[in-house]
Structure formats: structure tokens, C-alpha cells
Amino acid sequence: MDVLVQGALTSAVIALVALGFSLVYGVGGIVNLAHGSFFMIGAYSAYAMSETGAPLLVSAVVGVLAATLAGVLLERLVITPIRHQEVAVLIATLAVAILVQSGVQFFYGGLERQLPGFVSGAVTVFGVTLQQTRVLAGLVALVTIVTVLLVLTRTPTGRMVRAVAQDEEASRLIGVRPERVTLYVLAIGAGLAGLAGVLTAPYGVLTPTMWLLPLTQAFAIVILGGLGSIPGTVLASVVVGFLDRFVAFNVKDGDIKVGLVTVAVILATLVLRPQGFLGKVAR
Amino acid sequence: MENVGLGVVAWVTTARGWYEGEHMLRKKWAVACTVVAMSALAACGESGGDVASDPTTGASAGASAAGSGETFKIGVFGPEQIPQGEDVRDGALLAAKELNAKGEGPQVEIVFCDSEAKPEKAIACITKFAQQDKVQAISGGFSSAETLAILDTVKRAKLPYVSAGAAAPDVVKGVDSTGPGKYIFRIGPVNSLNLAADMCLTVTTKLTKEGFSKFGILHEDAAFALPLVEFLNACLPNPSAATKGAIPAAVKGVELVGTEKHTPAATDFSAQFKSLKDKGADFVIEVNSTQVGIQLGKQWATLKPGFALGGINVSGQSSAYFDVTKAVGELNGPAGIVRAAVSEKTIPFFDAFMAEYKRDPLYNGAATYDGIYALHEAAARAGALDADTLVTELEKTDRVGVSGVEKFNEQHDVIYSATDPKAGLSLLYFQYQADGSKKIVYPESLADGNTYQAPPGVTLP
Amino acid sequence: MSSTDRVLSVAGLKVSFGKAQVLDGIDLHVDRGECLAVVGPNGAGKTTLLRALSRLNESTSTSIEFDGKPLPDSAYATVMAGLVHCPERRRLFPGLTIRDNLELGARRLRKQPDTKAEDLERVFSLFPKLKERASQSAGTLSGGEQQQCAIGRSLMGRPTLLLLDEPTLGLSVGVKEAIIGSIQTIKDAGTTMLLVEQDVNFAFRCADRVIVLEHGQVAREGPTAQIAADPYVKQAYLGVA
Ligand SMILES: Nc1ncnc2c1ncn2[C@@H]1O[C@H](COP(=O)(O)OP(=O)(O)O)[C@@H](O)[C@H]1O
Ligand SMILES: [Mg+2]
């Protein structure tokens, strides 16, 4: 039961980060290694705002907006000029991630920070006692993901985004500008990652290296689910989220081994089914 | 671990990119971008250095007042980015300020150097102290890693060093009054073997009396904690045997139901809580020294997993800890130091520190403060500042400091006494009260009548 | 013929990929309501010509006039101006339903009064199979149905000029016939077309005029009857000695 409830909450938050990463890859063919930085920017911006005495909700909104803005800037200033060189994008975004880390280190030092939670105390769900902040994070993440999926599948805008992901050139021929769609998707993906950062900050700690774990998880999920496949991403998030909790609860010192298991899963997937659960073998 | 994962994934992706045509173009870009990335990385390393700013100017206390001859220059180092390091710096500065105001003995000048919690930076600090700043003595240091790293440099520089942050036994390994290690002293904290022994004693003699019978251990996966946990694992079931009789044979062992660990970056302890609870633990002994203690305390207080919590939690000593965690009933010890009448100097020091810096000191702020005093007293007694004279005088140290009576043994390590507060430092255990105050509960001699109370959600027989 | 009836006129169009000069100075024009067929062997540059016109490929030219104005430079602006390209190999969005594919074709009209429902009915009456399968994903269709869907998607944009690249490629004879029939219907309804076809017989059945493209240059040009009667064309393309 612990694994089920906690797995569901963990999965939702992980999926929030992975979804943006996957969409950006699917739509723009961009492997954005700075994606985890949006998570961090969201958390730190909210923290900076709350330090000025702003209400928590305002701080949270500022966090999400800051991450979104960072996404726009990244797309315009870094990715656009080198968009069609996969390797260049990979390296440039990694460089950005490291620069953001040193920036945070410069302004805040290596010291870990704390963001107060919207709620405090514990609740018991299906017999499992949980911190309320964690439950709130899971629920908000879940609602957000469902909304994003609905937008993607049920609205003209979502249809356009999926069209670009499926055939960029054909989308050009019906009057879509894939560059713009990529920009919007990157901005929204950044906002989602920023939201995840804001949501997890109250029960985690803010450090200049906090971008790395969500990025690794997103990467694992996207490989597991099939590069660019949205249903695959959601499915893989659930697998990774539950696996994470399962290992933590059922393996001796599981908490320490979780990272190892994630990497093992990536490697196994690459070897056994390089296209992932729902991916295609190249286009 | 994440790094490995990222590396593997990046490599696979890159390899695919290279494989899929347009080799030359990609190659050129890859080379160009690698250069960019490298310089970004380099810049990153640099900016780490910038954070340190100018190591000397930020933190030199008023020097060379009139009269009393030569100024006593003391080099102090620590990681300024974290509270533990800030306290090294501020404890030293506070001591210097007070000493210079009193005007007895030589004037003190503190030269602070930021070690950034990196052993190589700490070594650079010592070299700078010896060659550039020409200090006559050294104090401070926080982590065992950085403290152990500088010892050889200290020996070569032949400068008295009063260590005030690291608990590792090896800090004073091989030290005696004649050998090359004679310059090394430790004024605090108590050697971690003694910490562990004291914990074992407290669990087996005190907590059992409160009614606890099944113990679990939850520790940080960190170098300092591992030997300590290993010792507890041996000592808790067989205290007398494990301490070679230091704990009397009459003291019975306790049941240890399980040991769990967590990473220094952990944010979720529910799995460990559940495991320990399922095994029937009614008291969980924590061992952690980084900020991770905050999350741990907060989750324990929020989830109320049904067992009591207590042990080494360095973050738990800070002023801000309770506001974030609301960890009512958490036991903290063997702790550094609490604002209580541990010695006649404790409360005045806490008040002066609070007045100056608007926060409570951690254990190593107090230890560095005491270290500067001990050095100054030795210099005043000797009337000289040369290294060998200072070492000889330091060995004679017998003073009342913030943490209690401070004397050095033949290994230049501060003497610990579980039973006699006059014979050496005794170790404190405090408990968080509902109003956030810290009340010493052990040893009873310092408890001022306060007793251990079961935390909310825990019932004792 | 007055110039307003000239939908497209191209002069000196050149395309090169690196050192390979794929189109080497093409001149052509298409008049309103007419169907111009471009035929030629594999690799002649037919697809490249269409891609240059819809601005998917870089090109240079002396001038290209479309609908009385210079042809815009970007793919987006050309589509918006009314030049709609139905690409080689259909290029549907396989994960989307047929209805979604078709409706996406109407995107270029999104700033104009909504004609989607009406146009959708027109496409469905032209290709009744599509109506049956409207909520099926496009990837599940047969080759002929996919081609119908691709043509339908282009029609949804109400093109001023429709560029059709190899609509019968890879289809069986029966299916080809059906596609040919519907293209004729589309033409009769007044759609101006630039049709690229390898199957010369089929091209001749639909076209008012024909251009023979060889090695990136116009080898022959003229009314269909004249080209069909040309001895060189007869020998090279119609297999007649
Ligand atoms: N993107 C490209 N890069 C290099 N060469 C190309 C490219 N596209 C087409 N070509 C070349 O241009 C020539 C014409 O191709 P294409 O226009 O597809 O011919 P067709 O459609 O008449 O069969 C061929 O030799 C082809 O190899
Ligand atoms: Mg072709």
C-alpha cells in the first residue's frame, strides 16, 4: 500500500518534468539538457520571492513564470542558432545547465535552502500516513498532467503540436511554423518543470545541483517510454515512480540504490528495446 | 550515481547523432561546442573561487592596539558557505574582539581563509597562512576531510594548530609532545569514538530507564557516520565488552532491531521510517551532520511514525531548525552546546554571539572561540609567540571554556569525561520543547531539573 | 490571356545541392483553371521543383509571380498566400485521425470565415471511404486511402494553386484509376493544378499542357496533344517505336 500510494504521488511529479522534456524532443528534435535547470529555476525563484515576504502563492506563480521565461530565452538565444545540429544542442544545453548551476552557487552559495509549504501536517490516505505537502504536490501534478494531455489530444492547438511532432515538414505544408510551436512547447515544458520545482521544494531542499536528478529521471523516462512518445512518457513515469518507491521500501538500503536502479533500467532498455515501450524504430 | 546515468545517456545519444550522417558538419560543431562547454566548466570552477571573495579583508579583526608588543596573528579557516563554516569564522572574530577590548596579553589579529569545504583549498589556506600572512598559530577547520588533509602541511610549517571542528579520531593520530605532530591540538569536538561511547552509554543507561527497549539506527551514508554506526552496532547489544569495560558489566545491552541509511541529499525518509517501525523500534537513533537533518526532523515531526527520535543531528543545533521542523520531543545529543549553565562562560558566550550575529552558535563556533582563547592564554602565560613555546604552554592548558573544562591528554586531544565535569568535557543531550526551546535532559547534573518527555505520538510503558 | 488569369509564372528557377545543379533555369507558367503536368524520368528534379515553389528548398530565380504578386520567401507565407503542396509519399500525420488530418488542412484559412464543415462534406463526398473511417488514425489506412486523405487535406485549404506530387505512386491499377478520376473531378470543379506524374499516360489524361523535365531543364513544353504526338516523347515515354 505504501508503495502504491507513494508511487502514484512520485510518478505524477516525475511525469511533470518528463513530459516537457519529451514534448520538446518530439516536437523540435531537441535533447535539452538544461531541462532540469528549469526545475531548479522554478524552485529558487519561488524561494527568492518568498524571502522578500511575498505570499506563497505569488511566489509559486513567480517561480513558474521565471522557469517559463528561462525556457523562452534558452530557445531564442541558445537553441535557435544551432537547432539542426543535434550534438551542438546537446553540448550547448549542458553548458547552460552548468552555467545556471554556477549562477545559483554565486548568488546563494552551496547552502541548502528551504521553501515553506502551502500546507503542513500529515494526512492518512488508504492507511498510509503522508506529509500534506507531498500529497498536494502529487495532486497538483496529476491535475496538471491530465490537463496537458487533454489539451494535446482534444484541442486544435494540441492537434497542431502533435502534427509537428509526427511530421515537421508536412506540418509546414499546412501553414504551421514548427519553430514557433517548438518555442511554445519549450516554454510550456519549462513552466511545467518549474512547477514541479515549486511543488517539491517544500519537502526537498534547494541546492545548486538539484537540476541533475530530475534531468536524469526525465532522460530515463523518455528513453524507457520511447523518444518523443507522449503516452510512452506517461507510462514510463509511472514505471519509474513505482520502481523508485518499490526499491526504497523493499530493498535493503533501497533509498541509496534507487539511482543505480534507474541507470540499470536505462541501460537494459537501450540494449533490449532501443526504441522504448512505445517508440518507433527511427522515422 | 546520477552523473554516471547522465554520462551514459549523453554518450549514447551523441553516438547516435554521429552515426547518422553529415559526419563532417557534426564533427566541426562538436569540436566547437566541446570547447565552449569546457570553457563554461572552467568558468564554473572559477566562479566557485569568486564566492570566496577576498579571504583576508572580509574578516580581520581590529589589530595592534597600543602597548603590549607584538600582535598575535592567528590564521582561521573553514567553509564560509555553510553555517558550520560561518561559525568557525565568527567564533574566532568574537574571541579576538573580546580579547582586544580587554587589552591583556598580546593583541589578536584573525586572518580568515575560506576552505570552501574542499581539502585542496584548505591546504592552500595553510600554505598562505605560513608563507604570506606569516601567522603564529592556526585554528578552525570544519569537516574531518579538510582537517585531515591539512595536517602534513601544518607539521611542515611548524605552526601550532588548534583544531575545532573535526571529530575524526585520526586528527590526533600519532601526536605526542616531541614528535613532528606536536603542533597539533584538538579543543573540540570530542573524539568521535568518545561520542559513540557516550551515545552507547546514554542509550543503555538513560533511555532504557525512560522505557525504551527496541532501538533502530537511521544514519547518513557519510564517512564520519560509518565507524560510529559500526561501533553502536557492537556496543548497544554488549556495552561493556565493546568498550573494554569502560561501561560497567552491570549495564545490560539493548535490542537493536534494524539499521537504515539515507543519502546526504535524501528528501524522503518514509521507506526507512516504515521499515524501522515495522521492525518494532520505539526509539530511532539518528546520525547525520549535514542539512539533511532538517528534512529528517521535519518528516518525523509531521508523519509521527510512532517512535521517538534522537541522536547526532548537527543541523538540529541551529537556531532556525525548530521553526522549519517543529520537531517537538526530538532528542539531540551528544550535542555540541546549548545555552545553559554548562560552565560559567556558556550563557555569556551565547548572549554575546547572539548580540553580534543574531543567531545561535553551533558546536564549532564555540570550539573555535575557545581555541582562540586557549591560544591567547598560552601566549600570555609564555610571554612569547614562537611555536615551540606556544606548544609547551598549550599542553598545560586547564581552563574553563564555553563547553566545560578543557584539558589536553598526551595526544593533545581534549579530555572527555562522561561522569566528572571537572575532569574534562562532558557531553550534552537536549530535547526540543513545545515552545521551541532546547532543554538539557542529560547529564542530570546539567539538566536543571528538566527530564526527558515522550514526544507527541509516542507512548511509553 | 490577361495576366490576372496567370496564377503562377516562373522564370530562371535554379536549385543546387552542393555542387549538384538539380534545376538549371526553369521557366514555366500556370493559368487559372488549368492543369499543367510535369513529367520526366526519376531524378529529373520534379519533386525539387515543387519543393522550391513551396519554399521547402532553397532556390534562386529571376522572378516568381504567384497570383499577381511576388511569391513569398517562407513556406508559411506561401501556404497562407494559397499555394498548397500535396507532397510526395502523402506525408499524413499517422497518429492523428483522418478527421484531424483533414481539419488541419484548413489551418491556413483560420483567419477567414469558417468553411471547415462545408469543405469537409465536399471532401467526404469525393472520397466516401474517408467519411467511414473518419475517426480512425491515418496510419491504419491503405495506400490509396492515404492518398485520398492527403489530397483531401490539401483541398481543405481551398488552394489557389494545388501542387500534386506523384499521387499514384505505388498504387495498384484499380486504385490508380479511382485517384485519376477524383483528380479530374477536382480539376473540373475549377482547381488550378500543377501535377507531377511519372505515369505519362495518366498525366496526359488530366493535363491541359505538359512540360517534360530532363536533367533539371525543360526538354519539351506544349499543349497535351502536341506533346503526346512528339516523336521523341513517344519513343522515350510512351514506349512507342
Ligand atoms: N536534399 C537533397 N540533397 C541532395 N540531393 C538531392 C536532394 N533532394 C534531391 N536531390 C537530388 O536531386 C535530384 C532530383 O531529385 P527529385 O527532385 O526528387 O527527382 P524526381 O522527383 O524528378 O524523381 C536527384 O538526383 C536527387 O538525388
Ligand atoms: Mg519525385
Side-chain angles (χ1 to χ4, degrees), chain A residues 2 6 112 114 202 219 252, chain B residues 9 259 274 291 295 298:
Chain A
D2 288 83
Q6 292 218 6
E112 294 160 15
Q114 283 271 320
F219 223 131
K252 177 70 185 157
Chain B
V9 171
T259 299
K274 181 170 168 19
Q291 304 288 104
Q295 282 309 318
K298 188 172 163 186

Side-chain angles (χ1 to χ4, degrees), chain A residues 90 219 267 270, chain B residues 4-18:
Chain A
L90 210 64
F219 223 131
L267 285 178
L270 283 173
Chain B
V4 179
L6 194 64
V8 169
V9 171
W11 176 78
V12 169
T13 314
T14 314
R16 250 193 52 183
W18 284 73

Side-chain angles (χ1 to χ4, degrees), chain C residues 17 22 40-49 57 88 165-166 196 198:
Chain C
F17 297 110
V22 174
N42 239 333
K46 305 183 295 296
T47 297
T48 305
L49 169 64
N57 279 348
E88 199 173 34
D165 197 348
E166 310 254 18
V196 162
Q198 253 196 354

Side-chain angles (χ1 to χ4, degrees), chain B residues 40-57:
Chain B
L41 276 167
C44 173
E46 286 305 307
S47 77
D50 291 346
V51 178
S53 72
D54 183 359
T56 49
T57 52

